[in-house]
């Protein structure tokens, strides 16, 4: 796959205001994430020296990341076609949007910007298990396109990579990028009594609809990153066939088989 969708980061084009927005978002999240986000995330921030001073330079960051798990990041202008996105993941290239939000969109933006992609997604790519999971997701995405199963597979991404929680001896912790890059949801996902928090179950997730414009009504909880990799190793073709025979589950609904996880 040629490097489709990839652009230059255009680092010099960032304004002081762009770097100031990064600093504000970075300081806000790093003030509230310790004790809420998994230790692997904080370890990744440190290992890659993703700091508060400003938007990181992608090539330097890729050189550090590649030494750890073989991943690099590539600059893209925004959302790219699914087949191109999957091909990058399968080749251990994570597409990172090169622009940053404006002040008026501090708390919510429709499309991922560099803070969501880089601060939210990249730190966990330093964890070997999660790095393998993301590359396997890319390979799975290419297969899913051929099977007309993209809508099901997108749910797995949504409920793990974007909004996943993990169980630890000290309680539930965040690992999803959509949460880690959001002030409101970093608080809500652990503190609010209203959302469901249920044990990760692959077939259940593939049936589960999700919200894109509000906090999640259901969070899935994994036991560990290696168990997430193990659960998603099998060939999904028969799993898709079986899931197709069941009804979809609305975002906030519970089914009898669900195993609720308390904080
Ligand atoms: N493109 N740049 C970018 N980043 C994403 O996270 C992304 C994408 N294209 C498609 C997509 N995500 C989702 O549809 C995945 O489920 C494939
Ligand atoms: Fe994302």
């Amino acid at each position: 796959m040629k490097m489709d969708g990839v652009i230059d980061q255009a680092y010099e084009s960032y304004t002081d205001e762009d770097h100031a927005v990064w600093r504000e978002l970075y300081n806000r999240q790093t003030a509230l994430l310790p004790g809420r986000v998994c230790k692997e995330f904080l370890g990744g921030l440190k290992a890659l020296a993703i700091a508060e001073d400003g938007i990181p330079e992608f090539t330097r960051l890729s050189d550090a990341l590649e030494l750890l798990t073989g991943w690099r990041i590539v600059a893209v202008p925004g959302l790219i076609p699914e087949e191109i996105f999957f091909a990058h993941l399968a080749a251990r290239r994570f597409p990172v949007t090169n622009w940053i939000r404006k002040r008026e969109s501090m708390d919510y933006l429709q499309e991922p910007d560099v803070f969501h992609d880089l601060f939210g997604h990249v730190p966990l790519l330093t964890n070997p298990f999660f790095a393998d999971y993301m590359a396997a997701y890319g390979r799975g995405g290419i297969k899913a396109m051929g099977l007309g199963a993209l809508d099901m597979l997108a749910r797995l991404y949504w409920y793990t990579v974007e909004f996943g929680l993990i169980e630890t001896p000290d309680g539930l912790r965040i690992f999803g990028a959509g949460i880690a890059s959001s002030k409101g949801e970093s608080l809500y996902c652990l503190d609010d009594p209203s959302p469901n928090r249920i044990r990760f179950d692959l077939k259940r997730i593939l049936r589960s609809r999700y919200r894109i414009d509000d906090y999640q009504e259901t969070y899935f909880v994994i036991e560990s990153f290696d168990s997430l990799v193990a659960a998603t190793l099998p060939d999904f073709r028969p799993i898709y066939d079986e899931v197709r025979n069941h009804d979809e589950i609305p975002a906030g609904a519970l089914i009898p088989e669900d195993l609720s996880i308390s904080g």
Side-chain angles (χ1 to χ4, degrees):
M1 164 66 70
K2 63 185 174 59
M3 300 281 275
D4 271 5
V6 176
I7 59 171
D8 181 70
Q9 179 184 3
Y11 187 81
E12 324 66 42
S13 66
Y14 292 135
T15 63
D16 291 346
E17 170 67 356
D18 288 334
H19 289 300
V21 167
W22 169 276
R23 278 196 291 279
E24 190 165 324
L25 290 166
Y26 181 94
N27 289 330
R28 190 167 79 171
Q29 287 311 101
T30 49
L32 66 86
L33 284 178
R36 288 180 174 277
V37 77
C38 63
K39 61 184 185 324
E40 293 82 356
F41 180 93
L42 296 173
L45 276 185
K46 205 154 149 260
L48 298 175
I50 296 175
E52 60 137 346
D53 49 337
I55 299 168
E57 205 278 316
F58 291 5
T59 312
R60 174 207 61 82
L61 201 144
S62 287
D63 291 345
L65 179 60
E66 189 167 24
L67 290 175
L68 295 170
T69 57
W71 277 83
R72 295 188 70 80
I73 62 176
V74 288
V76 292
L79 292 177
I80 56 180
E82 279 159 337
E83 68 275 12
I84 297 174
F85 180 70
F86 290 132
H88 281 306
L89 296 189
R92 295 192 178 236
R93 288 190 302 263
F94 190 77
V96 175
T97 297
N98 72 330
W99 52 265
I100 194 161
R101 68 192 76 177
K102 298 297 174 226
R103 268 191 199 289
E104 53 273 16
S105 324
M106 227 38 176
D107 293 331
Y108 180 76
L109 71 171
Q110 192 64 34
E111 187 171 336
D113 70 341
V114 65
F115 187 76
H116 169 94
D117 280 338
L118 204 155
F119 183 90
H121 282 284
V122 174
L124 275 183
L125 289 174
T126 61
N127 173 275
F129 290 107
F130 194 78
D132 288 350
Y133 175 68
M134 287 294 279
Y137 184 86
R139 294 193 297 275
I142 294 163
K143 277 199 288 190
M145 283 184 328
L147 299 170
L150 261 195
D151 55 340
M152 283 188 274
L153 189 68
R155 292 168 175 164
L156 178 61
Y157 192 88
W158 191 266
Y159 280 117
T160 56
V161 180
E162 294 295 355
F163 292 97
L165 299 180
I166 184 169
E167 228 168 348
T168 80
D170 305 315
L172 299 187
R173 292 292 182 269
I174 295 159
F175 75 89
I179 309 177
S181 57
S182 155
K183 175 189 170 195
E185 197 143 8
S186 296
L187 302 171
Y188 171 85
C189 74
L190 296 178
D191 300 349
D192 198 292
S194 61
N196 303 320
R197 298 174 182 91
I198 52 185
R199 162 72 64 228
F200 174 95
D201 176 308
L202 178 60
K203 290 175 191 160
R204 197 315 187 173
I205 287 179
L206 296 177
R207 294 172 57 196
S208 302
R209 300 177 66 80
Y210 55 83
R211 304 283 303 277
I212 62 165
D213 54 359
D214 197 354
Y215 297 158
Q216 299 307 305
E217 298 173 71
T218 296
Y219 294 100
F220 286 88
V221 183
I222 64 171
E223 290 173 292
S224 62
F225 291 120
D226 56 326
S227 69
L228 176 62
V229 171
T232 52
L233 273 181
D235 172 21
F236 277 27
R237 185 193 297 262
I239 297 173
Y240 291 141
D241 293 342
E242 188 190 330
V243 167
R244 278 196 184 92
N245 297 331
H246 291 78
D247 295 336
E248 291 184 334
I249 301 170
L254 282 173
I255 61 174
E257 298 83 352
D258 287 337
L259 182 63
S260 278
I261 306 280
S262 57

